[in-house]
């Protein structure tokens, strides 16, 4: 039962499509000045980063087990296989959950590793924009067609502060205002579904092989103006990240993700 619930939960949260990389597309929309009508969300200084990492480990029977949010001093013999990001702003009551692309061989996130405060857009997969309720007790995500509502019950409550760790205690799924499912995390997963607070964050774009430990290196492509752009299309919103320098030989400084990647838009 736990295994089935775990698979369902991971599908619900991550919504990844395949194991190959390169979900983004290159775009010259900014260099051409085609930004009229675009909507913008600025990740200002009120946003805080919470990071979730999953490691593969061995138990006393030499069986593979998963461990989440392992202390750095205890990661030497473990393989990092998954990374997730949660950005929250109490001032704006906004939350942004970003999943990354799954790794078929479960080695990518161990080999290609930046500092914990760096979010590499090269690996981004899906984007869930949500709202924090007035009491800081939950985060709600609404689908673009307004039919589906997913609510994370979180602990501890945020209430204007940023605790060292945030845990998702329960996930409720509603469709057309009818409750479809309620998942208790401690019954669905062996490991708690938690995120650890980081002191800062910078969104970058770097292809594998260029390992950096800080965001001050001049070679890094950093998000320009800390802004995310959205372009309304027929079925939703395409999402764009513009960086402070060109990222390929064609002279483009931005990448985009098609509307399917934003299952829960910000508007």
């Amino acid at each position: 039962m736990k295994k089935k619930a775990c698979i369902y939960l991971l599908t619900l949260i991550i919504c990844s499509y395949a194991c190959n990389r390169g979900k983004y597309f290159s775009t010259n929309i900014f260099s051409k000045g085609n930004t009229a009508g675009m909507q913008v969300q600025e990740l200002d200084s009120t946003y805080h980063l919470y990071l979730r990492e999953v490691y593969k480990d061995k138990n006393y029977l030499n069986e593979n087990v998963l461990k989440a949010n392992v202390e750095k001093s205890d990661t030497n013999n473990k393989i990092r296989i998954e990374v997730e990001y949660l950005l929250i702003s109490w001032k704006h009551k906004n939350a942004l959950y970003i999943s990354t692309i799954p790794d078929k061989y479960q080695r990518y996130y161990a080999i290609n590793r930046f500092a914990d405060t760096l979010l590499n857009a090269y690996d981004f997969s899906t984007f869930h924009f949500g709202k924090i309720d007035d009491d800081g007790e939950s985060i709600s995500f609404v689908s673009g067609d307004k039919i589906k509502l997913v609510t994370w019950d979180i602990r501890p409550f945020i209430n204007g502060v940023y605790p060292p760790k945030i845990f998702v205690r329960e996930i409720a799924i509603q469709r057309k205002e009818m409750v479809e499912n309620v998942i208790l995390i401690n019954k669905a997963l062996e490991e708690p579904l938690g995120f650890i607070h980081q002191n800062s964050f910078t969104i970058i774009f770097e292809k594998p092989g260029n390992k950096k430990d800080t965001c001050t290196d001049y070679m890094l492509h950093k998000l320009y103006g800390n802004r995310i752009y959205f372009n309304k299309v027929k079925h939703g919103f395409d999402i764009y990240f513009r960086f402070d320098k060109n990222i390929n030989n064609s002279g483009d400084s931005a990448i985009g993700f098609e509307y399917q990647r934003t299952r829960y838009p910000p508007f």
Side-chain angles (χ1 to χ4, degrees):
M1 180 66 183
K2 249 185 186 184
K3 184 176 181 181
K4 290 182 179 179
C6 177
I7 293 172
Y8 177 86
L9 181 62
L10 293 177
T11 302
L12 168 71
I13 296 176
I14 298 174
C15 294
S16 297
Y17 291 78
C19 293
N20 61 303
R21 317 207 70 75
K23 298 304 179 184
Y24 67 90
F25 58 86
S26 298
T27 175
N28 58 5
I29 192 169
F30 292 96
S31 60
K32 284 191 172 183
N34 298 332
T35 58
M38 271 195 177
Q39 301 182 56
V40 180
Q41 182 163 321
E42 183 179 355
L43 303 177
D44 61 25
S45 60
T46 67
Y47 281 84
H48 289 237
L49 169 64
Y50 284 81
L51 172 68
R52 182 171 186 262
E53 299 175 295
V54 178
Y55 289 82
K56 185 166 66 175
D57 195 11
K58 296 283 188 180
N59 64 12
Y60 67 97
L61 296 175
N62 202 37
E63 299 170 328
N64 286 328
V65 294
L66 300 181
K67 295 291 184 180
N69 299 326
V70 177
E71 295 295 332
K72 296 301 180 188
S73 59
D74 192 31
T75 60
N76 290 338
N77 297 317
K78 299 177 177 61
I79 300 173
R80 192 175 74 151
I81 62 173
E82 184 182 333
V83 183
E84 303 165 36
Y85 306 107
L86 179 64
L87 296 169
I88 61 173
S89 167
W90 176 253
K91 177 181 177 180
H92 302 296
K93 301 296 191 295
N94 285 342
L96 168 57
Y97 168 78
I98 304 176
S99 73
T100 57
I101 301 170
D103 175 20
K104 179 179 180 180
Y105 299 104
Q106 298 187 329
R107 299 289 301 182
Y108 177 86
Y109 292 106
I111 297 171
N112 299 283
R113 182 161 190 162
F114 291 88
D116 290 342
T117 55
L118 298 181
L119 289 66
N120 191 1
Y122 178 81
D123 298 321
F124 289 173
S125 179
T126 61
F127 310 91
H128 298 188
F129 291 85
K131 299 297 293 187
I132 304 169
D133 78 325
D134 290 338
D135 297 321
E137 300 178 6
S138 66
I139 301 172
S140 296
F141 305 90
V142 181
S143 61
D145 56 13
K146 311 299 182 185
I147 292 177
K148 188 175 182 180
L149 170 67
V150 176
T151 303
W152 293 3
D153 182 82
I154 58 177
R155 295 292 188 278
F157 301 156
I158 299 174
N159 287 328
V161 300
Y162 295 93
K165 296 181 181 181
I166 292 177
F167 293 93
V168 181
R169 189 184 68 89
E170 177 184 293
I171 296 178
I173 304 101
Q174 291 179 245
R175 193 179 299 273
K176 295 182 179 180
E177 300 184 356
M178 297 291 293
V179 177
E180 189 176 83
N181 204 347
V182 176
I183 301 172
L184 299 177
I185 299 301
N186 65 342
K187 294 185 179 297
L189 298 178
E190 297 289 349
E191 287 286 309
L193 181 53
F195 297 80
I196 298 177
H197 185 255
Q198 306 297 311
N199 292 329
S200 63
F201 73 92
T202 303
I203 295 178
I204 64 170
F205 181 91
E206 295 297 331
K207 292 185 177 180
N210 186 18
K211 300 179 182 179
K212 302 294 177 183
D213 293 326
T214 71
C215 58
T216 58
D217 192 286
Y218 75 95
M219 292 296 292
L220 289 177
H221 302 79
K222 294 179 285 188
L223 188 66
Y224 181 77
N226 288 327
R227 293 178 174 181
I228 303 175
Y229 295 83
F230 306 90
N231 194 29
K232 185 72 171 67
V233 294
K234 184 177 180 180
H235 297 290
F237 288 89
D238 290 345
I239 183 171
Y240 297 91
F241 294 83
R242 185 184 185 187
F243 298 92
D244 61 355
K245 56 176 65 72
N246 294 338
I247 59 176
N248 56 40
N249 294 331
S250 64
D252 299 333
S253 63
I255 61 171
F257 296 83
E258 294 182 343
Y259 71 92
Q260 298 97 326
R261 297 281 154 195
T262 306
R263 293 293 186 87
Y264 302 91
F267 309 106

